[in-house]
Amino acid sequence: MASSSSSGLTFKLHPLVIVNISDHYTRVKSQTNPPPLTSTSATVNGVEHQQQAPRVYGCVIGVQRGRTVEIFNNFELLYDPSTHSLDRPFLEKKQELYKKVFPHFYILGWYSTGSDAQESDMHIHKALMDINESPLYVLLNPTINPAQKDLPVTIYESELHVIDGIPQLIFVRSSYTIETVEAERISVDHVAHLKPSDGGSAATQLAAHLTGIHSAIKMLNSRIRVLHHYLVGMQKGDIPCENSLLRQVSSLLRRLPAIESEKFQDDFLMEYNDTLLITYLAMFTNCSSTMNELVDKFNTAYDRHSRRGGRTAFI
Amino acid sequence: MDSAIAQKTWELENNILTVETPDPSSDSIFYYDETAQAKFQQEKPWANDPHYFKRVKISALALLKMVVHARSGGTIEVMGLMQGKTDGDAIIVMDAFALPVEGTETRVNAQADAYEYMVDYSQTNKQAGRLENVVGWYHSHPGYGCWLSGIDVSTQMLNQQFQEPFLAVVIDPTRTVSAGKVEIGAFRTYPEGHKPVDDPISEYQTIPLNKIEDFGVHCKQYYALDITYFKSSLDCHLLDLLWNKYWVNTLSSSPLLGNGDYVAGQISDLAEKLEQAENQLAHSRISPLGPSRKKEESQLAKITRDSAKITVEQVHGLMSQVIKDILFNSVRQSNRSPNEQSGPEPMVEA
C-alpha cells in the first residue's frame, strides 16, 4: 500500500503535534485501564487488565504555503464505530473554536494511532476530502520499542492509482521534517532533559548551554562518520557504487565553507566587537559598584567622628 | 576522571534528582478520578490555609502549548486557561488552551465571548475524553518578567474567591528565547489583609523601569509556587527519538539575531536605571547617612546583576556563532589522517 509519494509537497511537522497525540493516547489509555487503586474504593476489582491499545482520532491543523505544508497543532475528534466515520458536527464545532484563536490555521487532515494504516481509514480519509481536497493522515505508533531509532510517526497522503483497471485511492507515505520555533525548541529541550529550572549560577547556565551544543555537534559528528565509513567502503569496493549518493555527498562537501564573503566577515566581527563592548561595560559597572561599596564601608568604619555631611564620600 | 568529579559536583550543587524514566505503570497521573476530585472539592482544605497549595506539576504538553501560544503573540499579551486537577497540596496542570482575548495592559479580563468560548471548549473537551476541569489561567508578559501586575492580582483574588482551586501562571516568551530556558512562574494570591507569615526569598529577576512600581506595590500580595514538570512514558520515548531529528535546529539557532531589539531595550532600560541611581546618590549627599545609603548600594548592586545577566546571554549567543563559524566556515586543507574532513574530492568512478 505504501510507496513513496510523488506529489512534491514538503511536510513540516511541529513537535507540539507529536506530544499532543501522545498525550491524547496516554489519557484515553489510562482512562480505559484505570490503575489499581490503593484506597478502599473497590471499583476496580472487576476490570479486565487486557492492555488493549485504544485508537484515538483527531484532526491536524496548520498552514499551507505553496508547496510547503506546515502542521502546527491538532485537536481530538470523536469516532463513531458504527458508521466508521468521524463525528461531523463535533469537528465543525471544534474547528470554529480553533479558528477564533488561531485564525490562520486550516484543517490539513487527521491523525490516529496504530502500527499501520488500515483499510477502514480510507473511509475517514474520503470523508474529510470535502474539507480539504488532499488531506493528510498522520499515524503515530504508540508501542514503545527501545530498539527503534526513528520517530514512529508517518505521514500518508492519498493518491489515485489505477489497480486492476479501477481507479482507487491508496495511501502513500511521504517524508517530513521537524520544524520548530525557537521557543518550542527550548521548552521541548527543557522537558526532555530536565535542565536546572532556576537561574543557578553563571557556571551552571554556561554548562547547560554548552552541553546542548556539544550534544548537537556529537550528533553531527556521528552522522558524518557514518557517511565517511560508507564512502570508504565504496572506495574499497565492498559496497557497490551508487552515483546519486556520491553526487549528493559531493554537493554537500562543495557547500563548505558555508559563507565566505567580505560582508559576512565584517558583520561577524562587528557582532563580536559589540559583545566584547557589552562585556567591557558590564565589567565597568561591576567595578564601580564594588568601589562604591568599598568607599561606603571605609566611611562607615573610619569616618564616625565627622557628623557633618560636608565631606562627600562619593567621587 | 576530572570530568566525572566535575559532573558530580555540579549535580550536587543543583540538587539534580535523577528522575527514573517513567514506565507505563507510572502513567497513573493521567487517570482522572472523578469521585476523588469531587470529594476534594467539597472538603475545601484550602479555605483555612491561604498557603495551602505549595507545588505545581505541569505536563509537557501544557508547557509546550502555553509557550508556543505566548510566543505567537509577539509583543502582545495573550491569555488562556489551564485544565487539570488537584493532588494534596499540589495542583496538577494537564492541558492548556488559548482564549480569543486581546490583552492590553488594562484589559486582561475575559469578556463575554471569551466566556462562551470557555464553556464551548470545556464541553467539547469532555466529550472527547478530556475530563479535567479548569484549574487556572495563564497569560504572558512578553519581555518584562514573570510576576503579577495590579490588575492580575485583583483578577486572581476574584478567581480565588469564586472558582477555587485556581492558579495563575505567567510566561515570558521573550526572555525564554533570550536566555535559552523557560521563564515561567506560578502564583496564588493571599486573601485581602492577610500578612504572609514567612517571606520566602524569590529568585531575583530584572523588571523594566516603567513596571517596577506596579511590581513593588503588589509583590507582597501573592506567593510563588514551585513548578515541576512531568511527562508520560510515551512522551519520554518520543522526545528521545525527536532529538535525532532536531539536533539540527539546536545547532542552527542564533539567539543573537533573533533577540537584537530585546537586548537593545534591556540595555537602554539599564541605562535609565543607572541614571536614576546616580540621581539618588547625588541627593543623599545632603541628607543624613545611614539607611538611605544602604538602598542605593542595593540599587547599584541590582544594576550590576542585571548587566551581568545581559552580558552572559550575549556571550552565550556569540559562542554559538563562533562555534558554527569554526565548524562550517574554516575549510582545512589537510593531508593528515583520513578522519579529517577534507575539501571536495573528484567523484570516484566505479
Side-chain angles (χ1 to χ4, degrees), chain B residues 86-151:
Chain B
T86 50
D87 180 23
D89 66 344
I91 300 188
I92 306 184
V93 175
M94 310 287 305
D95 194 9
F97 60 91
L99 284 179
V101 174
E102 200 183 272
T104 64
E105 253 315 288
T106 54
R107 244 193 338 139
V108 193
N109 280 318
Q111 297 152 314
D113 56 347
Y115 280 123
E116 219 182 278
Y117 184 96
M118 254 194 272
V119 167
D120 276 341
Y121 197 95
S122 304
Q123 271 182 341
T124 49
N125 257 356
K126 283 225 162 48
Q127 280 183 298
R130 161 79 68 194
L131 307 165
E132 287 92 8
N133 294 322
V134 172
V135 289
W137 64 302
Y138 69 90
H139 66 288
S140 67
H141 276 181
Y144 52 98
C146 294
W147 45 281
L148 290 182
S149 69
I151 318 274

Side-chain angles (χ1 to χ4, degrees), chain A:
Chain A
M1 194 165 19
S3 48
S4 67
S5 138
S6 55
S7 64
L9 293 174
T10 39
F11 296 105
K12 295 188 178 169
L13 189 63
H14 278 250
L16 176 58
V17 175
I18 301 178
V19 177
N20 214 341
I21 303 180
S22 140
D23 175 82
H24 186 197
Y25 173 76
T26 318
R27 239 191 299 142
V28 173
K29 188 167 88 130
S30 57
Q31 209 63 25
T32 51
N33 304 331
L37 298 172
T38 51
S39 59
T40 53
S41 58
T43 47
V44 195
N45 288 341
V47 173
E48 339 77 72
H49 272 277
Q50 327 152 346
Q51 294 294 318
Q52 3 140 303
R55 289 195 79 180
V56 297
Y57 298 88
C59 201
V60 294
I61 58 180
V63 180
Q64 179 160 359
R65 291 189 200 99
R67 313 291 294 172
T68 321
V69 179
E70 201 164 342
I71 307 179
F72 276 95
N73 208 339
N74 57 348
F75 55 85
E76 308 89 11
L77 287 176
L78 295 178
Y79 176 68
D80 196 351
S82 53
T83 60
H84 287 294
S85 63
L86 298 172
D87 193 341
R88 201 45 189 260
F90 185 83
L91 179 128
E92 273 159 22
K93 190 126 195 275
K94 269 302 241 248
Q95 186 187 8
E96 222 181 276
L97 290 175
Y98 268 84
K99 260 294 190 204
K100 281 203 199 143
V101 191
F102 300 114
H104 308 288
F105 292 168
Y106 300 102
I107 293 193
L108 292 174
W110 62 294
Y111 70 82
S112 175
T113 53
S115 46
D116 210 355
Q118 291 164 13
E119 287 298 335
S120 52
D121 296 341
M122 196 38 98
H123 293 280
I124 309 178
H125 204 83
K126 287 202 186 123
L128 272 171
M129 273 177 144
D130 55 345
I131 305 184
N132 182 337
E133 332 158 314
S134 164
L136 304 170
Y137 174 33
V138 180
L139 182 70
L140 174 83
N141 187 352
T143 46
I144 301 179
N145 183 358
Q148 75 185 134
K149 290 290 166 65
D150 211 6
L151 214 47
V153 175
T154 25
I155 298 189
Y156 291 105
E157 275 191 293
S158 58
E159 274 187 1
L160 208 53
H161 280 228
V162 179
I163 304 176
D164 303 330
I166 315 169
Q168 279 181 4
L169 278 179
I170 59 164
F171 282 127
V172 292
R173 206 173 269 209
S174 324
S175 62
Y176 60 93
T177 53
I178 303 278
E179 174 89 5
T180 60
V181 215
E182 183 67 12
E184 211 175 341
R185 179 187 75 78
I186 294 176
S187 36
V188 167
D189 222 11
H190 194 90
V191 180
H193 302 296
L194 289 173
K195 282 204 247 191
S197 52
D198 55 8
S201 62
T204 52
Q205 276 184 319
L206 183 65
H209 186 244
L210 287 179
T211 318
I213 298 194
H214 174 78
S215 332
I217 296 181
K218 242 187 357 187
M219 286 294 286
L220 179 65
N221 190 20
S222 67
R223 297 287 161 97
I224 295 179
R225 274 191 200 282
V226 165
L227 272 181
H228 182 256
H229 200 71
Y230 192 73
L231 287 175
V232 164
M234 245 198 243
Q235 194 176 38
K236 278 200 227 150
D238 300 335
I239 311 171
C241 253
E242 206 184 300
N243 282 341
S244 62
L245 198 74
L246 285 176
R247 271 196 291 274
Q248 282 183 333
V249 172
S250 142
S251 73
L252 184 72
L253 289 177
R254 251 188 280 265
R255 285 175 68 179
L256 294 174
I259 314 180
E260 198 173 39
S261 72
E262 214 62 30
K263 179 111 187 8
F264 171 72
Q265 285 293 88
D266 283 345
D267 284 346
F268 189 67
L269 283 176
M270 200 153 66
E271 202 160 336
Y272 198 90
N273 285 339
D274 281 346
T275 313
L276 288 179
L277 185 63
I278 295 180
T279 322
Y280 195 41
L281 287 174
M283 274 297 113
F284 254 139
T285 324
N286 203 359
C287 281
S288 51
S289 162
T290 322
M291 283 277 281
N292 193 14
E293 280 179 35
L294 173 67
V295 172
D296 281 342
K297 286 182 186 157
F298 183 84
N299 278 342
T300 327
Y302 290 103
D303 222 24
R304 238 169 275 165
H305 310 295
S306 67
R307 299 296 240 96
R308 289 188 331 233
R311 211 193 109 152
T312 63
F314 309 105
I315 303 162

Side-chain angles (χ1 to χ4, degrees), chain A residues 182 185 209 213 216-217 220 256-259 264 268 271, chain B residues 247-257 316-331:
Chain A
E182 183 67 12
R185 179 187 75 78
H209 186 244
I213 298 194
I217 296 181
L220 179 65
L256 294 174
I259 314 180
F264 171 72
F268 189 67
E271 202 160 336
Chain B
W247 58 270
V248 179
N249 295 62
T250 311
L251 206 50
S252 62
S253 73
S254 356
L256 280 188
L257 294 175
H316 282 177
L318 187 67
M319 268 196 284
S320 318
Q321 298 290 80
V322 169
I323 289 176
K324 281 190 283 194
D325 185 49
I326 295 178
L327 270 180
F328 301 117
N329 272 354
S330 50
V331 176

Side-chain angles (χ1 to χ4, degrees), chain B residues 10-73:
Chain B
W10 182 73
E11 279 184 6
L12 214 61
E13 254 181 63
N14 289 290
N15 303 329
I16 308 275
L17 302 157
T18 345
V19 179
E20 303 107 32
T21 323
D23 55 327
S25 60
S26 72
D27 282 341
S28 53
I29 202 171
F30 286 87
Y31 173 62
Y32 182 68
D33 190 354
E34 185 112 23
T35 43
Q37 286 295 305
K39 189 158 156 279
F40 197 69
Q41 284 275 60
Q42 283 185 331
E43 279 173 13
K44 293 206 217 302
W46 54 79
N48 303 329
D49 181 8
H51 209 96
Y52 181 73
F53 289 112
K54 299 193 176 52
R55 301 173 292 135
V56 179
K57 289 200 208 166
I58 303 186
S59 78
L61 177 66
L63 180 71
L64 209 48
K65 276 194 179 170
M66 291 196 282
V67 173
V68 168
H69 181 220
R71 185 62 172 163
S72 69

